[in-house]
PDB file of all heavy atoms in Angstrom:
ATOM      1  N   CYS G   1       9.887  -1.129  11.822  1.00  0.00           N
ATOM      2  CA  CYS G   1      10.830  -1.487  12.936  1.00  0.00           C
ATOM      3  C   CYS G   1      10.561  -0.811  14.251  1.00  0.00           C
ATOM      4  O   CYS G   1      10.488   0.357  14.388  1.00  0.00           O
ATOM      5  CB  CYS G   1      12.276  -0.946  12.513  1.00  0.00           C
ATOM      6  SG  CYS G   1      12.826  -1.651  10.937  1.00  0.00           S
ATOM      7  N   PRO G   2      10.228  -1.669  15.232  1.00  0.00           N
ATOM      8  CA  PRO G   2       9.943  -1.100  16.628  1.00  0.00           C
ATOM      9  C   PRO G   2      11.296  -0.571  17.184  1.00  0.00           C
ATOM     10  O   PRO G   2      12.372  -1.073  16.965  1.00  0.00           O
ATOM     11  CB  PRO G   2       9.487  -2.203  17.365  1.00  0.00           C
ATOM     12  CG  PRO G   2       9.839  -3.511  16.623  1.00  0.00           C
ATOM     13  CD  PRO G   2      10.066  -3.064  15.277  1.00  0.00           C
ATOM     14  N   VAL G   3      11.143   0.590  17.968  1.00  0.00           N
ATOM     15  CA  VAL G   3      12.240   1.251  18.633  1.00  0.00           C
ATOM     16  C   VAL G   3      11.852   1.261  20.064  1.00  0.00           C
ATOM     17  O   VAL G   3      10.748   1.656  20.536  1.00  0.00           O
ATOM     18  CB  VAL G   3      12.505   2.643  18.045  1.00  0.00           C
ATOM     19  CG1 VAL G   3      13.589   3.341  18.768  1.00  0.00           C
ATOM     20  CG2 VAL G   3      12.840   2.525  16.489  1.00  0.00           C
ATOM     21  N   TYR G   4      12.826   0.809  20.860  1.00  0.00           N
ATOM     22  CA  TYR G   4      12.563   0.684  22.365  1.00  0.00           C
ATOM     23  C   TYR G   4      13.400   1.710  23.021  1.00  0.00           C
ATOM     24  O   TYR G   4      14.505   2.003  22.716  1.00  0.00           O
ATOM     25  CB  TYR G   4      12.868  -0.669  22.756  1.00  0.00           C
ATOM     26  CG  TYR G   4      12.053  -1.774  22.148  1.00  0.00           C
ATOM     27  CD1 TYR G   4      12.421  -2.446  20.999  1.00  0.00           C
ATOM     28  CD2 TYR G   4      10.738  -2.093  22.609  1.00  0.00           C
ATOM     29  CE1 TYR G   4      11.593  -3.423  20.352  1.00  0.00           C
ATOM     30  CE2 TYR G   4       9.833  -2.942  22.067  1.00  0.00           C
ATOM     31  CZ  TYR G   4      10.349  -3.643  20.886  1.00  0.00           C
ATOM     32  OH  TYR G   4       9.546  -4.478  20.318  1.00  0.00           O
ATOM     33  N   ALA G   5      12.938   2.142  24.214  1.00  0.00           N
ATOM     34  CA  ALA G   5      13.416   3.097  24.975  1.00  0.00           C
ATOM     35  C   ALA G   5      14.562   2.312  25.818  1.00  0.00           C
ATOM     36  O   ALA G   5      14.606   1.139  25.827  1.00  0.00           O
ATOM     37  CB  ALA G   5      12.515   3.778  25.933  1.00  0.00           C
ATOM     38  N   ASP G   6      15.340   3.137  26.548  1.00  0.00           N
ATOM     39  CA  ASP G   6      16.494   2.452  27.404  1.00  0.00           C
ATOM     40  C   ASP G   6      15.774   1.628  28.439  1.00  0.00           C
ATOM     41  O   ASP G   6      16.428   0.559  28.826  1.00  0.00           O
ATOM     42  CB  ASP G   6      17.211   3.533  28.139  1.00  0.00           C
ATOM     43  CG  ASP G   6      18.122   4.303  27.202  1.00  0.00           C
ATOM     44  OD1 ASP G   6      18.409   3.783  26.052  1.00  0.00           O
ATOM     45  OD2 ASP G   6      18.539   5.465  27.534  1.00  0.00           O
ATOM     46  N   ASN G   7      14.652   1.732  28.987  1.00  0.00           N
ATOM     47  CA  ASN G   7      13.949   0.917  29.893  1.00  0.00           C
ATOM     48  C   ASN G   7      13.306  -0.324  29.249  1.00  0.00           C
ATOM     49  O   ASN G   7      12.606  -1.043  29.951  1.00  0.00           O
ATOM     50  CB  ASN G   7      13.015   1.709  30.756  1.00  0.00           C
ATOM     51  CG  ASN G   7      11.830   2.172  30.040  1.00  0.00           C
ATOM     52  OD1 ASN G   7      11.645   1.951  28.759  1.00  0.00           O
ATOM     53  ND2 ASN G   7      10.936   2.975  30.560  1.00  0.00           N
ATOM     54  N   GLY G   8      13.358  -0.542  28.104  1.00  0.00           N
ATOM     55  CA  GLY G   8      12.766  -1.625  27.364  1.00  0.00           C
ATOM     56  C   GLY G   8      11.394  -1.442  26.877  1.00  0.00           C
ATOM     57  O   GLY G   8      10.845  -2.276  26.100  1.00  0.00           O
ATOM     58  N   ALA G   9      10.818  -0.258  27.132  1.00  0.00           N
ATOM     59  CA  ALA G   9       9.399   0.013  26.680  1.00  0.00           C
ATOM     60  C   ALA G   9       9.395   0.489  25.265  1.00  0.00           C
ATOM     61  O   ALA G   9      10.368   1.099  24.770  1.00  0.00           O
ATOM     62  CB  ALA G   9       8.746   1.054  27.398  1.00  0.00           C
ATOM     63  N   LEU G  10       8.425   0.010  24.561  1.00  0.00           N
ATOM     64  CA  LEU G  10       8.273   0.507  23.104  1.00  0.00           C
ATOM     65  C   LEU G  10       8.264   2.201  23.054  1.00  0.00           C
ATOM     66  O   LEU G  10       7.425   2.751  23.765  1.00  0.00           O
ATOM     67  CB  LEU G  10       6.942  -0.072  22.526  1.00  0.00           C
ATOM     68  CG  LEU G  10       6.565   0.479  21.165  1.00  0.00           C
ATOM     69  CD1 LEU G  10       7.669  -0.101  20.112  1.00  0.00           C
ATOM     70  CD2 LEU G  10       5.272  -0.039  20.637  1.00  0.00           C
ATOM     71  N   SER G  11       9.061   2.640  22.240  1.00  0.00           N
ATOM     72  CA  SER G  11       9.099   4.057  22.123  1.00  0.00           C
ATOM     73  C   SER G  11       8.275   4.614  20.935  1.00  0.00           C
ATOM     74  O   SER G  11       7.438   5.432  21.048  1.00  0.00           O
ATOM     75  CB  SER G  11      10.645   4.570  21.929  1.00  0.00           C
ATOM     76  OG  SER G  11      10.690   5.917  21.672  1.00  0.00           O
ATOM     77  N   HIS G  12       8.684   3.987  19.762  1.00  0.00           N
ATOM     78  CA  HIS G  12       7.888   4.373  18.505  1.00  0.00           C
ATOM     79  C   HIS G  12       8.256   3.409  17.490  1.00  0.00           C
ATOM     80  O   HIS G  12       9.038   2.474  17.751  1.00  0.00           O
ATOM     81  CB  HIS G  12       8.259   5.882  18.022  1.00  0.00           C
ATOM     82  CG  HIS G  12       9.828   6.049  17.840  1.00  0.00           C
ATOM     83  ND1 HIS G  12      10.749   6.235  18.821  1.00  0.00           N
ATOM     84  CD2 HIS G  12      10.420   6.078  16.686  1.00  0.00           C
ATOM     85  CE1 HIS G  12      12.025   6.339  18.271  1.00  0.00           C
ATOM     86  NE2 HIS G  12      11.741   6.243  16.902  1.00  0.00           N
ATOM     87  N   TYR G  13       7.849   3.614  16.261  1.00  0.00           N
ATOM     88  CA  TYR G  13       8.243   2.738  15.063  1.00  0.00           C
ATOM     89  C   TYR G  13       8.930   3.564  14.071  1.00  0.00           C
ATOM     90  O   TYR G  13       8.764   4.737  13.901  1.00  0.00           O
ATOM     91  CB  TYR G  13       6.828   2.172  14.455  1.00  0.00           C
ATOM     92  CG  TYR G  13       6.156   1.211  15.321  1.00  0.00           C
ATOM     93  CD1 TYR G  13       5.100   1.719  16.029  1.00  0.00           C
ATOM     94  CD2 TYR G  13       6.519  -0.062  15.480  1.00  0.00           C
ATOM     95  CE1 TYR G  13       4.376   0.847  16.930  1.00  0.00           C
ATOM     96  CE2 TYR G  13       5.788  -0.994  16.232  1.00  0.00           C
ATOM     97  CZ  TYR G  13       4.679  -0.430  17.034  1.00  0.00           C
ATOM     98  OH  TYR G  13       3.984  -1.324  17.697  1.00  0.00           O
ATOM     99  N   GLU G  14       9.820   2.904  13.279  1.00  0.00           N
ATOM    100  CA  GLU G  14      10.388   3.435  12.206  1.00  0.00           C
ATOM    101  C   GLU G  14      10.019   2.763  10.939  1.00  0.00           C
ATOM    102  O   GLU G  14       9.845   1.518  10.913  1.00  0.00           O
ATOM    103  CB  GLU G  14      11.985   3.336  12.290  1.00  0.00           C
ATOM    104  CG  GLU G  14      12.502   4.248  13.387  1.00  0.00           C
ATOM    105  CD  GLU G  14      14.092   3.944  13.619  1.00  0.00           C
ATOM    106  OE1 GLU G  14      14.568   2.987  13.079  1.00  0.00           O
ATOM    107  OE2 GLU G  14      14.713   4.886  14.309  1.00  0.00           O
ATOM    108  N   LEU G  15       9.815   3.406   9.925  1.00  0.00           N
ATOM    109  CA  LEU G  15       9.661   2.814   8.544  1.00  0.00           C
ATOM    110  C   LEU G  15      11.004   2.879   7.828  1.00  0.00           C
ATOM    111  O   LEU G  15      11.539   4.070   7.751  1.00  0.00           O
ATOM    112  CB  LEU G  15       8.677   3.701   7.743  1.00  0.00           C
ATOM    113  CG  LEU G  15       7.119   3.486   7.981  1.00  0.00           C
ATOM    114  CD1 LEU G  15       6.321   4.399   7.132  1.00  0.00           C
ATOM    115  CD2 LEU G  15       6.764   2.061   7.758  1.00  0.00           C
ATOM    116  N   ARG G  16      11.486   1.862   7.323  1.00  0.00           N
ATOM    117  CA  ARG G  16      12.662   1.703   6.632  1.00  0.00           C
ATOM    118  C   ARG G  16      12.575   1.062   5.259  1.00  0.00           C
ATOM    119  O   ARG G  16      11.710   0.221   5.213  1.00  0.00           O
ATOM    120  CB  ARG G  16      13.755   0.996   7.479  1.00  0.00           C
ATOM    121  CG  ARG G  16      14.078   1.801   8.747  1.00  0.00           C
ATOM    122  CD  ARG G  16      15.218   1.121   9.604  1.00  0.00           C
ATOM    123  NE  ARG G  16      15.677   2.021  10.618  1.00  0.00           N
ATOM    124  CZ  ARG G  16      16.538   2.918  10.400  1.00  0.00           C
ATOM    125  NH1 ARG G  16      17.208   3.060   9.403  1.00  0.00           N
ATOM    126  NH2 ARG G  16      17.002   3.589  11.528  1.00  0.00           N
ATOM    127  N   ARG G  17      13.373   1.457   4.361  1.00  0.00           N
ATOM    128  CA  ARG G  17      13.287   0.757   3.040  1.00  0.00           C
ATOM    129  C   ARG G  17      13.983  -0.624   3.206  1.00  0.00           C
ATOM    130  O   ARG G  17      14.972  -0.820   3.932  1.00  0.00           O
ATOM    131  CB  ARG G  17      14.172   1.521   1.977  1.00  0.00           C
ATOM    132  CG  ARG G  17      13.509   2.839   1.696  1.00  0.00           C
ATOM    133  CD  ARG G  17      14.039   3.492   0.564  1.00  0.00           C
ATOM    134  NE  ARG G  17      13.866   2.716  -0.679  1.00  0.00           N
ATOM    135  CZ  ARG G  17      14.458   2.997  -1.765  1.00  0.00           C
ATOM    136  NH1 ARG G  17      15.312   3.910  -1.938  1.00  0.00           N
ATOM    137  NH2 ARG G  17      14.110   2.102  -2.863  1.00  0.00           N
ATOM    138  N   GLU G  18      13.237  -1.546   2.797  1.00  0.00           N
ATOM    139  CA  GLU G  18      13.780  -2.986   2.932  1.00  0.00           C
ATOM    140  C   GLU G  18      15.116  -3.257   2.272  1.00  0.00           C
ATOM    141  O   GLU G  18      15.924  -3.916   2.874  1.00  0.00           O
ATOM    142  CB  GLU G  18      12.750  -3.945   2.396  1.00  0.00           C
ATOM    143  CG  GLU G  18      11.532  -4.172   3.305  1.00  0.00           C
ATOM    144  CD  GLU G  18      10.675  -5.331   2.903  1.00  0.00           C
ATOM    145  OE1 GLU G  18      11.019  -6.079   1.937  1.00  0.00           O
ATOM    146  OE2 GLU G  18       9.513  -5.422   3.409  1.00  0.00           O
ATOM    147  N   GLU G  19      15.321  -2.677   1.185  1.00  0.00           N
ATOM    148  CA  GLU G  19      16.501  -2.937   0.332  1.00  0.00           C
ATOM    149  C   GLU G  19      17.874  -2.240   1.048  1.00  0.00           C
ATOM    150  O   GLU G  19      18.900  -2.889   1.010  1.00  0.00           O
ATOM    151  CB  GLU G  19      16.384  -2.405  -1.066  1.00  0.00           C
ATOM    152  CG  GLU G  19      15.451  -3.246  -1.844  1.00  0.00           C
ATOM    153  CD  GLU G  19      15.242  -2.668  -3.203  1.00  0.00           C
ATOM    154  OE1 GLU G  19      15.889  -1.640  -3.595  1.00  0.00           O
ATOM    155  OE2 GLU G  19      14.425  -3.274  -4.046  1.00  0.00           O
ATOM    156  N   THR G  20      17.683  -1.136   1.544  1.00  0.00           N
ATOM    157  CA  THR G  20      18.768  -0.354   2.055  1.00  0.00           C
ATOM    158  C   THR G  20      18.804  -0.188   3.530  1.00  0.00           C
ATOM    159  O   THR G  20      19.817   0.273   4.212  1.00  0.00           O
ATOM    160  CB  THR G  20      18.837   0.942   1.369  1.00  0.00           C
ATOM    161  OG1 THR G  20      17.729   1.751   1.712  1.00  0.00           O
ATOM    162  CG2 THR G  20      18.874   0.896  -0.121  1.00  0.00           C
ATOM    163  N   GLY G  21      17.708  -0.240   4.201  1.00  0.00           N
ATOM    164  CA  GLY G  21      17.594   0.134   5.585  1.00  0.00           C
ATOM    165  C   GLY G  21      17.507   1.527   5.869  1.00  0.00           C
ATOM    166  O   GLY G  21      17.374   1.937   7.117  1.00  0.00           O
ATOM    167  N   GLU G  22      17.353   2.363   4.763  1.00  0.00           N
ATOM    168  CA  GLU G  22      17.371   3.814   4.879  1.00  0.00           C
ATOM    169  C   GLU G  22      16.007   4.132   5.686  1.00  0.00           C
ATOM    170  O   GLU G  22      14.939   3.714   5.413  1.00  0.00           O
ATOM    171  CB  GLU G  22      17.244   4.428   3.605  1.00  0.00           C
ATOM    172  CG  GLU G  22      16.949   5.863   3.519  1.00  0.00           C
ATOM    173  CD  GLU G  22      16.755   6.322   2.085  1.00  0.00           C
ATOM    174  OE1 GLU G  22      16.661   5.517   1.146  1.00  0.00           O
ATOM    175  OE2 GLU G  22      16.424   7.476   1.946  1.00  0.00           O
ATOM    176  N   LEU G  23      16.204   5.114   6.660  1.00  0.00           N
ATOM    177  CA  LEU G  23      15.094   5.490   7.392  1.00  0.00           C
ATOM    178  C   LEU G  23      14.117   6.461   6.589  1.00  0.00           C
ATOM    179  O   LEU G  23      14.641   7.290   6.002  1.00  0.00           O
ATOM    180  CB  LEU G  23      15.558   6.368   8.768  1.00  0.00           C
ATOM    181  CG  LEU G  23      14.521   7.011   9.583  1.00  0.00           C
ATOM    182  CD1 LEU G  23      13.739   5.839  10.245  1.00  0.00           C
ATOM    183  CD2 LEU G  23      15.133   7.875  10.612  1.00  0.00           C
ATOM    184  N   VAL G  24      12.929   6.144   6.536  1.00  0.00           N
ATOM    185  CA  VAL G  24      11.956   6.980   5.747  1.00  0.00           C
ATOM    186  C   VAL G  24      11.151   7.823   6.692  1.00  0.00           C
ATOM    187  O   VAL G  24      10.909   9.005   6.381  1.00  0.00           O
ATOM    188  CB  VAL G  24      11.042   5.998   4.923  1.00  0.00           C
ATOM    189  CG1 VAL G  24       9.992   6.781   4.356  1.00  0.00           C
ATOM    190  CG2 VAL G  24      11.877   5.164   4.027  1.00  0.00           C
TER     191      VAL G  24
END
């Protein structure tokens, strides 16, 4: 999951479990 800063720029990525959305 890409995460964007307030200005719309890419900040970083998150890995999440598909089934639960839990942040890994």
